[in-house]
Amino acid sequence: MFMRSNIKQSLRFKLIIGFIVITVPLVGLMLYNNYYASNTIREQVAESNKNSMILYSQQIEAALNKETNFLYNVAVEDPNLAELPQLLRDSTDYYLTKARVLNTFTRYHRFDNSVDFQFVYSLQNRDLFTTPIKDSSYERLTAIRLTIDNIVKSVKPDSDFFREWRAVEYIKGKYALIRLVNTGDDLYLGAFIELENLVIPLDIIQSEEGFAGFLNYQGHIITNAVVIDSGNSISLDTGPSGGYQVVKQNGRHYIAVTTPVQGTDVILSVFVPEAQMLKDLNNFRRGIILISVGALFILVIYLVYLNDIILKPMNNLVHGMRRIKHGDWNIRLQSSKAKEFAIINETFNSMAAEIHELTSSVYEEQIKAHKAELKHLQLQINPHFLLNTINIIYNLAEIKNYSVIQLMCMNLVKYFRFTTRTNQVAVTIQEEMEHMESYIKIQQVRFPERITYEIQMENGAEEAAIPPLLIQPFIENAIKHGFDFMDHPFHIYIAIGLIEQERMRIVIMDNGNGFPEEMLEKLGSGSYLEHQNGEHLGISNVQYRIKHLFGDGARLEFDNAPGARIQIVLPFRTVEQFTSY
């Protein structure tokens, strides 16, 4: 058991586990990337065709609505229709009235060819007459008349033909939209449109080999000779935000996108070949797979190489350190193939020979140095702010809000990258403002829609240099003491401008509660910062630094306007000028 525990804690075991941990997710990521890329292309093509279809279906709906309104207007306003049922079928007046009715339709149809023809059917006289039907064979004309005759004879007052355009098969494999209007006295007006004349133009389809057609609400294509394989009927996901469906036809897969045509019982559909969409992506997939296999092979070879160059010398070094730990100062390491480990081994041997000469004073000095460094870092990083930020990231991970986590982490990295640049004497105003934006954006995630900010910078001021982290303490205090969950968002305003005699002014304002009058008096006199017992250490640090760096040329003022306002006036210096002081 002890041996197994040692193996699990060894660097070799951890390196192999790390190799697996890196490789498996990487391969999985590549596979997912292939899937995601394919799915994204499908969605984009589907969305593009969907939008085109919606526009085209709206054009169809407008044309059909216009035709329907015309039929109702004729039914209500044309006196010839009211006269027609009163006349005998074989009378001269009947034929003249029919001619006048057809003349009304023909005049309208001359300027609007959205339908194939219009018709009138007298149930009393068993008479059907129509406007001219173009390009009609005798067989087609007979089928149309028989279809209309059957519909009118069987229609009932609550029939769907009176409420919308209905698709009817008048010849095998041929469908048309028919709409009826009942004028009373067993007289019906109607219009006829062959569905193939309404099929979406192929130049709208985002594919050279795709096709379009109309579906019925059972999911069957009724305007195209292509028939979808059985068992792969089209899903009726016809809402405006509906997606797509992959269907199979003759061994090929198509992306099917559908949208309903309002006022009818048909659905407009487009079919785009999947292979054509993904043909460029397939080359990319193969390249990714080859790269993955090659990378895996190289990583395995590299793992073996690392074992010989790094792991074995490292094990020898660990063995020697354990001997040192147990008080064996006579241990010496052999030379290594790697130059770096040769130096390390030589240093180790030298250390083993001289380590007994170290005194307790060295350790004490190291402890003092670490304490000083820790104290310095504590002044730079706010643990409470860090803990709150990490807690927010944890909560976001709980709800899987990865986009906000990415934004939070990005700003947090920017924040701590800036705060840890302790070796810099000065930074530009532009860099300081970018740091402030990172800090405020982190606070905006903590308090969604409760904090806003505005930064105004005069031209030329962005090159001015200031000590790093000069403005942050005031922003932290504003959010900590001025933000009290008000009815309106807490707004922070930072203005940076140039004033005469090569001076610059930084104004920090908020719309919060402002400074209490007693505190303003103490801030103005400086007594508040002298007796704050560790509170407002950042403000005290700012005051000390600007006085030390700029002397009497700097000024720090506090007031309410009506929220808290801080004004800092400094001499204008560049970063280069700072380093020369």
Side-chain angles (χ1 to χ4, degrees):
M1 179 66 78
F2 179 78
M3 190 66 180
R4 182 179 300 174
S5 176
N6 284 341
I7 292 175
K8 289 185 177 179
Q9 294 177 3
S10 67
L11 183 61
R12 181 183 287 105
F13 178 82
K14 292 180 179 179
L15 185 61
I16 294 174
I17 294 299
F19 173 80
I20 295 174
V21 169
I22 293 174
T23 305
V24 172
L26 183 62
V27 173
L29 180 62
M30 290 180 176
L31 294 176
Y32 175 77
N33 182 62
N34 285 334
Y35 167 78
Y36 180 79
S38 301
N39 197 49
T40 300
I41 292 176
R42 292 189 189 98
E43 290 177 351
Q44 290 177 349
V45 172
E47 184 65 22
S48 176
N49 283 283
K50 183 88 171 181
N51 294 334
S52 300
M53 284 198 307
I54 290 175
L55 292 175
Y56 188 70
S57 66
Q58 290 174 349
Q59 295 177 10
I60 295 175
E61 292 163 13
L64 296 181
N65 289 337
K66 182 178 179 182
E67 181 64 23
T68 302
N69 293 335
F70 170 73
L71 292 177
Y72 275 109
N73 290 336
V74 171
V76 173
E77 299 174 1
D78 194 341
N80 295 307
L81 287 176
E83 182 181 349
L84 195 63
Q86 313 298 326
L87 303 173
L88 296 177
R89 180 176 180 178
D90 56 351
S91 65
T92 302
D93 291 337
Y94 178 82
Y95 288 104
L96 292 175
T97 304
K98 279 176 52 175
R100 287 192 292 269
V101 170
L102 288 177
N103 189 44
T104 299
F105 283 107
T106 303
R107 285 199 307 269
Y108 177 81
H109 202 257
R110 184 182 307 160
F111 302 102
D112 185 355
N113 59 356
S114 57
V115 299
D116 291 344
F117 65 88
Q118 296 145 324
F119 62 88
V120 180
Y121 191 95
S122 174
L123 193 62
Q124 177 179 346
N125 295 323
R126 304 288 184 185
D127 187 21
L128 170 67
F129 49 98
T130 69
T131 56
I133 304 176
K134 298 179 180 179
D135 304 326
S136 290
S137 63
Y138 177 79
E139 179 184 2
R140 179 171 180 267
L141 185 61
T142 302
I144 290 174
R145 289 184 173 274
L146 181 61
T147 300
I148 295 175
D149 186 76
N150 291 335
I151 291 174
V152 173
K153 288 180 181 179
S154 60
V155 76
K156 295 182 180 180
D158 60 345
S159 173
D160 290 335
F161 284 95
F162 297 120
R163 292 193 295 268
E164 62 181 6
W165 294 78
R166 303 287 294 178
V168 177
E169 185 178 24
Y170 66 95
I171 298 179
K172 185 172 181 59
K174 296 286 186 178
Y175 286 80
L177 290 177
I178 295 179
R179 177 65 189 266
L180 295 179
V181 174
N182 188 357
T183 65
D185 298 325
D186 293 331
L187 194 65
Y188 298 94
L189 303 182
F192 180 100
I193 307 175
E194 190 165 354
L195 270 180
E196 289 186 353
N197 295 335
L198 296 178
V199 172
I200 187 170
L202 289 178
D203 58 346
I204 295 180
I205 304 173
Q206 305 299 314
S207 169
E208 298 177 357
E209 300 178 13
F211 64 93
F214 285 94
L215 304 175
N216 58 25
Y217 275 84
Q218 288 72 45
H220 299 127
I221 296 181
I222 57 177
T223 58
N224 199 297
V226 179
V227 180
I228 300 299
D229 292 345
S230 58
N232 289 281
S233 60
I234 309 304
S235 171
L236 300 182
D237 185 11
T238 57
S241 60
Y244 63 89
Q245 181 183 3
V246 179
V247 296
K248 186 177 182 181
Q249 158 60 30
N250 295 331
R252 300 183 66 183
H253 288 86
Y254 291 84
I255 302 300
V257 187
T258 59
T259 187
V261 180
Q262 300 297 325
T264 71
D265 64 340
V266 296
I267 301 167
L268 188 59
S269 60
V270 163
F271 300 86
V272 182
E274 187 179 48
Q276 182 183 352
M277 288 190 306
L278 304 178
K279 62 181 180 181
D280 294 331
L281 187 62
N282 289 333
N283 296 329
F284 176 76
R285 283 176 172 174
R286 286 191 289 269
I288 289 294
I289 293 173
L290 291 176
I291 292 173
S292 301
V293 173
L296 183 62
F297 180 75
I298 293 173
L299 284 174
V300 171
I301 296 176
Y302 189 64
L303 185 62
V304 175
Y305 177 77
L306 284 180
N307 182 65
D308 185 57
I309 298 299
I310 296 179
L311 295 183
K312 287 182 178 180
M314 185 67 71
N315 286 338
N316 293 333
L317 180 60
V318 171
H319 176 71
M321 294 179 70
R322 285 176 178 170
R323 297 282 297 272
I324 290 288
K325 180 180 178 182
H326 290 91
D328 184 5
W329 305 108
N330 296 318
I331 182 68
R332 297 294 183 266
L333 300 179
Q334 300 298 322
S335 182
S336 174
K337 296 179 181 178
K339 180 180 179 181
E340 292 80 5
F341 273 104
I343 297 174
I344 291 174
N345 293 347
E346 181 180 350
T347 304
F348 177 86
N349 294 335
S350 176
M351 177 197 69
E354 299 176 2
I355 195 169
H356 63 278
E357 298 177 2
L358 296 176
T359 63
S360 59
S361 60
V362 175
Y363 294 105
E364 291 174 357
E365 289 298 324
Q366 290 178 346
I367 292 172
K368 290 180 181 179
H370 285 305
K371 286 184 177 180
E373 182 181 3
L374 178 60
K375 184 176 180 180
H376 179 69
L377 291 175
Q378 286 174 339
L379 291 176
Q380 298 296 327
I381 301 175
N382 186 339
H384 182 66
F385 165 73
L386 176 60
L387 291 175
N388 283 339
T389 304
I390 294 175
N391 187 50
I392 291 171
I393 293 174
Y394 175 81
N395 291 331
L396 290 171
E398 285 280 341
I399 62 175
K400 299 183 179 180
N401 194 341
Y402 300 126
S403 59
V404 180
I405 291 175
Q406 291 176 331
L407 177 63
M408 193 74 164
C409 291
M410 180 184 67
N411 286 292
L412 192 61
V413 168
K414 291 181 180 178
Y415 175 85
F416 284 108
R417 181 181 290 126
F418 187 88
T419 57
T420 53
R421 291 161 61 183
T422 57
N423 61 327
Q424 284 190 274
V425 178
V427 296
T428 63
I429 282 287
Q430 184 71 32
E431 292 174 323
E432 183 82 1
M433 288 303 97
E434 290 175 356
H435 173 63
M436 285 300 93
E437 284 194 283
S438 298
Y439 175 80
I440 296 174
K441 287 178 180 178
I442 292 172
Q443 297 293 354
Q444 285 178 327
V445 176
R446 290 184 60 193
F447 307 103
E449 301 181 1
R450 302 300 303 162
I451 297 178
T452 60
Y453 72 97
E454 179 183 359
I455 298 175
Q456 289 189 354
M457 188 180 305
E458 186 177 328
N459 288 337
E462 67 275 0
E463 295 299 324
I466 60 172
L469 301 175
L470 186 73
I471 300 176
Q472 178 178 333
F474 302 109
I475 303 300
E476 289 182 356
N477 285 339
I479 294 176
K480 181 178 180 181
H481 300 287
F483 176 39
D484 194 20
F485 291 95
M486 304 174 293
D487 293 335
H488 53 276
F490 182 71
H491 184 72
I492 299 172
Y493 173 78
I494 304 174
I496 301 167
L498 303 176
I499 54 179
E500 58 184 1
Q501 297 178 350
E502 294 187 351
R503 297 168 70 82
M504 62 177 298
R505 177 169 52 202
I506 303 171
V507 178
I508 306 163
M509 300 174 57
D510 62 62
N511 62 345
N513 301 323
F515 296 108
E517 292 298 325
E518 181 181 356
M519 185 184 296
L520 273 180
E521 295 178 3
K522 292 182 178 181
L523 287 170
S525 63
S527 61
Y528 181 79
L529 298 176
E530 294 174 359
H531 302 90
Q532 33 80 26
N533 297 324
E535 294 289 334
H536 300 282
L537 187 61
I539 297 179
S540 177
N541 181 282
V542 169
Q543 189 176 51
Y544 173 82
R545 285 193 292 161
I546 63 174
K547 289 298 182 183
H548 176 72
L549 292 170
F550 300 102
D552 295 333
R555 189 170 74 249
L556 179 61
E557 299 175 350
F558 304 85
D559 64 343
N560 291 329
R565 180 173 67 178
I566 299 94
Q567 181 173 259
I568 307 172
V569 178
L570 304 172
F572 182 91
R573 292 182 187 175
T574 63
V575 175
E576 292 77 11
Q577 291 173 329
F578 246 100
T579 57
S580 64
Y581 277 80

